[in-house]
Amino acid sequence: MSLRMALKRSLEDEEGGPKKRSAYTPSLTGKKYDDGAPAPAPAPAAAKNTSRRAPKEAPIVELVQIDKCIKNNMVSRIEKAGFVEMTQVLPSQFIDSLRSEAEEKLSNLNNRQKKAADGFIKISNALQAIVSKELAEKVSLALMGSDKIHDSMKHVFGKGGESSYEGFVVESLKLLATPPGSPPQLPHADDHCTSCLVGIVHLKDDQLRTRIAKYNNKQDYPTGITSTCDNCQRDEQLPDADYKRGVHLTTEKWYCGHCNKPARPYDFEKKLTLAFGELLENPDIADAHAGECPKANDGILALPTMIHCGPGNPSASTEHRIVLFFTVRPLYKNTKQLTAGVKKQHKYNEDLQIHAPCILYHQFQKTLRIYEHAGCNLRNYSSFIVGANAADLTRLKTDLARARTTIASQEKKIEKLMLRLGEGDKDTSSKK
């Protein structure tokens, strides 16, 4: 009961006025809460309305049928296909343990008392959980012993020039669960350059496969890393092919290849748009399945620049789609001493996936900088960029803040008035 209603009730009690029953219905729960006044006589059973607001039904998700399938079992073709298929990735007992851990965490998802700190959280169209520490260590060691992963990493990061590649480390082990009724993800790449390889291992038989786009290995993927040419001494953005060898981290000499030509300007945003521009125009770009229909313990190992998406899970499904996600990052020898404060190695970051909104954001920031250098401030025109309703929303927010302040002030006045009324009652009783 609000302070305003309490004051009104106290005045009615003092004046002998009628006591009225009041109730309000919150819009979210549909439940009525009584203010404590005597209730009226119950209505006849036939006329009693016990209905509650029906919960909003989730939309039915039916996935679009995809007949195209891209296959690749050869490590030597991973950079052409964008991925390589893997079978029997882990010892079977680890698959059982991972699946059991995922199912246990799913069962505790809605139990606040049992919900662990490393339980599932919602991401995109799925749920994500960190693999428990003890199990993660065992799985990491098993993955490091995989011949397919070892050969793939050496092929991608250990060839060309004087590559200092000497091994890899397993990182980012996560359980991903897609509930029934989940649409496919937005098509995206996991990174803007070849910083690692990304792995998916199925924990159940016959699950939906990851959807992928045909890979273009001719794209100039932006690294965002500058390096100094050992010949002309100019700093330029490192090409992805040289980045994979780790020349920015090691003592290997690097030559830009165009020392006698004008320097190429650093333009990360332009390269990003050229490399992934199809994401802006084709939301159905991931139109093929990756590999054969998998059994538990099968999976794929992919370049992080491959455009793909989680397949979703139709409403008709009775089970979660559960997979193990992991990354394998290259390690290098002959590393050089870097300047203090310089990041040693770009690492996979799940919050920096490359999708259409990411490209638009970077292009927008670039345009702002271009106009600022010309003495213009595009931020003054933000309402035209983000929508005509931006100014209206800002005004509405201001009005709500003022109304909230006014209500708080009125409630304080009511509290003071109630205190005065209480003191008046005490004086009257003492005189008696």
Side-chain angles (χ1 to χ4, degrees):
M1 186 166 58
S2 68
L3 292 172
R4 192 175 289 104
M5 180 61 73
L7 177 59
K8 181 180 178 182
R9 180 64 51 75
S10 65
L11 292 175
E12 288 177 348
D13 291 344
E14 288 292 325
E15 298 171 359
K19 296 182 179 180
K20 297 181 180 179
R21 176 183 177 82
S22 64
Y24 66 93
T25 305
S27 59
L28 294 179
T29 63
K31 297 180 180 178
K32 290 187 176 181
Y33 293 85
D34 190 78
D35 64 1
K48 187 176 182 180
N49 183 8
T50 60
S51 64
R52 292 184 177 182
R53 180 175 297 180
K56 186 176 181 180
E57 294 184 1
I60 296 176
V61 175
E62 296 179 352
L63 303 182
V64 176
Q65 184 69 28
I66 292 181
D67 298 322
K68 189 188 299 186
C69 176
I70 299 176
K71 303 176 183 179
N72 177 39
N73 287 308
M74 300 173 62
V75 169
S76 60
R77 296 186 68 252
I78 186 173
E79 291 181 295
K80 184 175 182 179
F83 75 100
V84 64
E85 297 173 61
M86 301 187 294
T87 58
Q88 298 302 301
V89 183
L90 294 167
S92 58
Q93 66 267 27
F94 290 156
I95 295 297
D96 294 338
S97 298
L98 288 165
R99 183 172 56 247
S100 297
E101 182 172 310
E103 291 173 345
E104 181 181 359
K105 290 182 177 181
L106 285 172
S107 66
N108 294 335
L109 191 60
N110 297 319
N111 189 331
R112 293 184 179 180
Q113 293 181 345
K114 293 184 178 181
K115 191 173 181 180
D118 59 350
F120 277 105
I121 60 173
K122 186 173 179 59
I123 57 153
S124 183
N125 71 330
L127 301 169
Q128 172 184 288
I130 299 173
V131 179
S132 61
K133 184 177 179 180
E134 183 178 352
L135 182 56
E137 291 175 352
K138 295 178 181 178
V139 171
S140 294
L141 288 174
L143 291 172
M144 292 181 70
S146 165
D147 290 338
K148 202 69 167 275
I149 295 176
H150 173 82
D151 293 343
S152 298
M153 290 293 289
K154 186 175 181 180
H155 180 80
V156 173
F157 298 99
K159 66 179 182 180
E162 305 169 0
S163 177
S164 298
Y165 170 79
E166 69 170 355
F168 62 88
V169 60
V170 177
E171 297 176 325
S172 308
L173 273 81
K174 294 180 176 65
L175 297 167
L176 302 180
T178 309
S182 301
Q185 287 180 304
L186 286 178
H188 65 278
D190 284 322
D191 210 339
H192 53 78
C193 64
T194 313
S195 59
C196 62
L197 294 184
V198 178
I200 289 288
V201 180
H202 290 267
L203 302 183
K204 294 181 180 180
D205 290 337
D206 304 319
Q207 294 190 134
L208 292 175
R209 290 163 284 179
T210 301
R211 297 182 180 182
I212 63 173
K214 184 177 180 180
Y215 190 68
N216 184 354
N217 63 344
K218 303 298 182 182
Q219 291 286 15
D220 183 14
Y221 294 107
T223 62
I225 300 291
T226 58
S227 191
T228 303
C229 174
D230 284 294
N231 186 31
C232 66
Q233 300 301 310
R234 293 187 306 207
D235 290 339
E236 293 203 6
Q237 186 170 183
L238 197 65
D240 191 56
D242 298 330
Y243 171 85
K244 288 185 287 189
R245 299 203 315 273
V247 298
H248 57 301
L249 300 171
T250 68
T251 56
E252 178 186 350
K253 292 185 179 299
W254 177 72
Y255 304 101
C256 66
H258 51 270
C259 297
N260 298 325
K261 298 179 181 179
R264 296 175 181 175
Y266 177 90
D267 195 338
F268 177 85
E269 293 83 3
K270 182 177 181 180
K271 279 193 170 186
L272 187 72
T273 304
L274 289 174
F276 298 101
E278 290 178 290
L279 290 170
L280 297 176
E281 302 174 357
N282 186 5
D284 299 318
I285 187 173
D287 60 354
H289 294 299
E292 298 281 1
C293 188
K295 297 296 183 181
N297 210 2
D298 294 344
I300 62 172
L301 191 66
L303 299 173
T305 48
M306 183 182 72
I307 295 175
H308 66 284
C309 68
N313 199 358
S315 299
S317 176
T318 58
E319 294 186 346
H320 285 69
R321 175 183 183 264
I322 305 177
V323 299
L324 170 70
F325 173 93
F326 65 92
T327 62
V328 278
R329 178 171 56 86
L331 299 176
Y332 302 95
K333 58 186 177 181
N334 302 324
T335 55
K336 58 188 175 184
Q337 187 70 30
L338 298 178
T339 305
V342 175
K343 184 185 292 187
K344 290 186 176 181
Q345 189 174 8
H346 170 71
K347 297 182 180 180
Y348 165 77
N349 186 337
E350 64 185 32
D351 296 324
L352 298 179
Q353 294 178 339
I354 310 302
H355 39 57
C358 170
I359 299 170
L360 291 173
Y361 170 80
H362 280 284
Q363 194 60 46
F364 174 55
Q365 294 298 319
K366 175 186 174 181
T367 305
L368 287 179
R369 291 197 303 272
I370 290 173
Y371 273 77
E372 285 174 356
H373 290 160
C376 303
N377 187 2
L378 279 187
R379 299 182 191 278
N380 294 334
Y381 298 88
S382 60
S383 61
F384 295 100
I385 298 171
V386 301
N389 292 329
D392 291 338
L393 291 172
T394 301
R395 284 194 294 270
L396 179 59
K397 182 179 178 180
T398 302
D399 292 343
L400 288 172
R402 288 175 180 169
R404 198 176 294 116
T405 302
T406 302
I407 292 172
S409 176
Q410 292 295 327
E411 289 185 338
K412 287 182 179 179
K413 291 180 180 179
I414 293 171
E415 286 180 354
K416 290 180 180 179
L417 183 56
M418 291 179 67
L419 288 174
R420 292 177 182 174
L421 288 172
E423 291 174 357
D425 290 343
K426 289 180 180 179
D427 292 341
T428 304
S429 59
S430 63
K431 290 179 180 178
K432 291 180 179 180

